[in-house]
Amino acid sequence: MIKKGEWVLIRKTILEPHERAPQVPDDTKKVPLIMWVKGRLQADAQIGDIVEIITQTGRVEQGALLEANPTYRHSFGEFIPELLVIGDQVREILFGGDAK
Amino acid sequence: MSLANDYASVMARKGEIMKKSVGIDYGEFESGSIAFDYKKMMQETSYTLEEMQKIQLDAHVGNTPIIELRNLTALARKCAKPGFGARIFIKDEAANPSGSFKARRAANAVYHAKKLGFKGVLTATSGNYGAAVASQAAMAGLKCIVVQECYDSKGVGQPEIIEKARKCEALGAEVVQLSVGPELFYKFLLLLEETGYFNASLYTPFGIAGVETLGYETSIQFREKYGKDPDAIICTNAGGGNLTGTARGLEKAGATSTVIGASVNLSGLHMASDTQFNKKSFTTGHTGFGIPFSTWPDRSDVPRSAARPLRYMDRYVTVTQGCVFYITETLASLEGLEKGPAGNTSLAAAFSIAQEMPDDRFLLVQETEYTGAGKHIQPQLSFARENGIKLFFGDPKDEIPGENLVLPSHPSLIKATDVDLNRLRKSLIKAALNSVSAPPTPEDIRFLAEETRTDESFVRAAIEELEA
Ligand SMILES: Cc1ncc(COP(=O)(O)O)c(C=O)c1O
C-alpha cells in the first residue's frame, strides 16, 4: 500500500484512439494519447488504483497509480566500443603514433 | 458553466486562449491576406537590445566565452587542400544557467510574464527550452509547467527527453509528459485555460529577440579579440529561432557574416509516428523540424512565429547523425570538451565547411549545450542499438535514418550537404498561397520577397510556376 502524501507517478489516457486528431499518422491513430504526471497522493492506494494527486504547481490530476517515489532510470547506456576507435583515430591522424 | 473539452472544441478556442496567455493581439499586425507586419511586431512587442542585455545580465544569462578549437581546425586542415581550413570557434552557450542558449529566450519570456503579473509560465517543449524556462522561473519565483512529448505508446522514453524532465523537475517545475502526437498542443491549451499561466512559447517576439544578444555579443567579442567579425556563423536549426535571433543580433551589430543553418538529416522519419519516435537519435536540430518550420513558420504554437529563418539564411546544410556522433567524440578527444548533441550538429557542418574556406577565415559555431546521462552520445548510441538501429563505420552517404547509423570511417568523409534554398523558398510561397483563398496582393508579393530573402520577380516567377 502507498500512503497518502507520498510522491507518486500516475498515468492517464487523454484521447482514445478514435478521438485523435485527423492529421495523425495511421500507426499513431491506433494508440491512445497518454499522459504521465507526478504529484502527492491524496489518499492511501494500491498500484493500479485510480487516484487523485496534487502536482508541483498545486493542480489536481487523476489517473492510474504507477509508482511511488518515481525514479529516473536514464543513464549513460551500455558501453559503445566504437567511440574508442574514433578517439584513437583522430589522435593518430593529428599527432601520430605515440599520442594515443 | 464548464466548457466542452473534446479535441475539436478546445482547438476552436485556440485564438482566445492564445490572446490571453501571450498578451499579444496578433491581429494588429495582420493585413487580412498573406502579409503581416513582421518588423512592427518585433518592434512593438519586444524589448530593445539594451533592455534585453540588462534583463539577461540580471538573470545570469549571456556573455558566454568564445573558444577557438585549434586541434579540430588542425584536423580539418589535414582533410583540406593546401591553404584551406578556416579557424573554427565555438561560443560556449552551455555556460548559461540551464546549459544552453535557450536561457536567452527563457530569460525574456519569464521577465515579461512577471512584468505582466502572471503567477506562472507554461511551455510546450521536449528540449532545452523547458529546462531554460524552469531555471528562469525558479529565479523569478514563478510557477512553471513544462509539457513534453516523451514516450511512445509503450511507455519507452527517449533518454534525452527523460533527462530534460529530470532537469526541469530539479529546477522546481511540474513536468507533464505525453505520448507521441501533435495533440500535445490540445493538452497545452487545456493547461493554459486551467492555470491562467503565461504561454512562454518558443516563438514569441520576446523569445526570439532574446537570441539577438547572442549574435550581437559574438560580433563585439570577435572585434575586441580578433579585430573583425567571423566570416561565417553556423546555427543548428530546428524551429528557426536560434538562427533568426542570432542573425538579427549580428545585423544590429552591423556584422555581415554569412549565416548558415545546419540540421541533422532525418529524412524519411515521420515526426508524429508512434513507431518511428524512438528510431531517431536526435530530438532537435534535425530536418524533421528544420524543413517544415522554415517553409511554414506559422505552424508553431503562436499565431505568428517570430522565428522566420528563410529571411536570414544565406545557406542551409544537413549532416548525418553518424557524423555528429563522430565529431562529438572528436571534440572530447582533441579539445577536452564534452558537449551535447544539438550544438554539435553545426560543429559537424563546420568541420566540413571550414575545408571550403581559406585558412585565414574565421568560422563560428554559435553554441554548445550541456551533456550528461541520457544526452551523451553513449546513451544515445546504446538506445539506438536497443531499437534495432545498425551501427557501423563506413561512408555517411549510406546512412538511412531509422535503419542505421554510419560513423565515418575517416574524418574526411564528414560532409555538409547543401539544401536547395530555392526549393524551400518556393515551398514557403506555395504554403502562403494555400493559406488564403484570394489571389496575392502587391503587398503580399513584397512580403513574400522579404520572407524568402529574394525579390518580387522571384516571387512572381514562383507563383507562375505554381499556377502552371
Ligand atoms: C541546444 C539547441 N541548439 C539548437 C536548437 C535549435 O533552435 P531552433 O529551434 O530555434 O532552431 C535547439 C532547440 O531546438 C537547442 O536546444
Side-chain angles (χ1 to χ4, degrees), chain B residues 100-102 105 128 203 236-243 284-285 342-343 367-369:
Chain B
S100 80
F101 86 97
K102 291 278 168 77
R105 282 156 98 155
N128 288 310
Y203 302 99
T236 297
N237 186 54
N242 187 30
L243 188 139
T284 189
E367 62 155 326
T368 60
E369 70 174 307

Side-chain angles (χ1 to χ4, degrees), chain A residues 15 19 21-23, chain B residues 4-18 182-190 193 300:
Chain A
L15 294 172
E19 296 171 312
Q23 73 272 27
Chain B
N5 282 347
D6 62 285
Y7 183 75
S9 309
V10 173
M11 295 307 278
R13 297 201 293 276
K14 175 174 134 182
E16 7 158 357
I17 299 173
M18 280 293 152
E183 304 99 325
L184 180 145
F185 190 53
Y186 156 81
K187 181 65 192 172
F188 178 66
L189 290 173
L190 279 172
E193 246 179 3
S300 89

Side-chain angles (χ1 to χ4, degrees), chain A residues 7 9 11-12 14-15 19-25 27-28 31-38 55-61 72-91 93-95, chain B residues 7 71 74-75 78 143-145 151 153 162-163 166 169 172 174 176-183 186-187 191 194-195 197 270 272-275 326 329-330 333 372-374 376-379 382 385 393 407 409-411:
Chain A
W7 187 250
L9 174 67
R11 177 185 196 272
K12 180 184 181 180
I14 301 291
L15 294 172
E19 296 171 312
R20 299 209 62 157
Q23 73 272 27
V24 165
D27 62 338
T28 312
V31 293
L33 181 73
I34 304 161
M35 175 182 81
W36 292 261
V37 66
K38 295 172 188 169
T55 68
Q56 183 68 15
T57 62
R59 296 185 315 109
V60 178
E61 283 281 3
Y72 304 110
R73 293 196 171 80
H74 63 298
S75 67
F76 283 89
E78 298 292 305
F79 187 70
I80 302 292
E82 284 82 352
L83 295 176
L84 285 178
V85 177
I86 299 172
D88 287 348
Q89 183 182 41
V90 292
R91 275 186 290 265
I93 296 171
L94 199 57
F95 303 119
Chain B
Y7 183 75
N71 289 334
L75 186 70
K78 294 251 182 200
K143 292 193 173 182
C144 176
I145 303 178
Y151 298 103
S153 60
I162 296 176
E163 158 54 18
R166 181 210 61 80
E169 289 178 346
E174 172 180 333
V176 174
Q177 295 180 310
L178 294 169
S179 57
V180 180
E183 304 99 325
Y186 156 81
K187 181 65 192 172
L191 284 167
E194 180 188 337
T195 59
Y197 288 175
H270 196 304
S273 163
D274 186 63
T275 46
Y326 190 100
E329 183 62 21
T330 302
S333 299
H376 188 266
I377 47 176
Q378 186 149 289
S382 170
R385 275 204 162 136
F393 283 96
L407 299 168
S409 56
H410 189 275

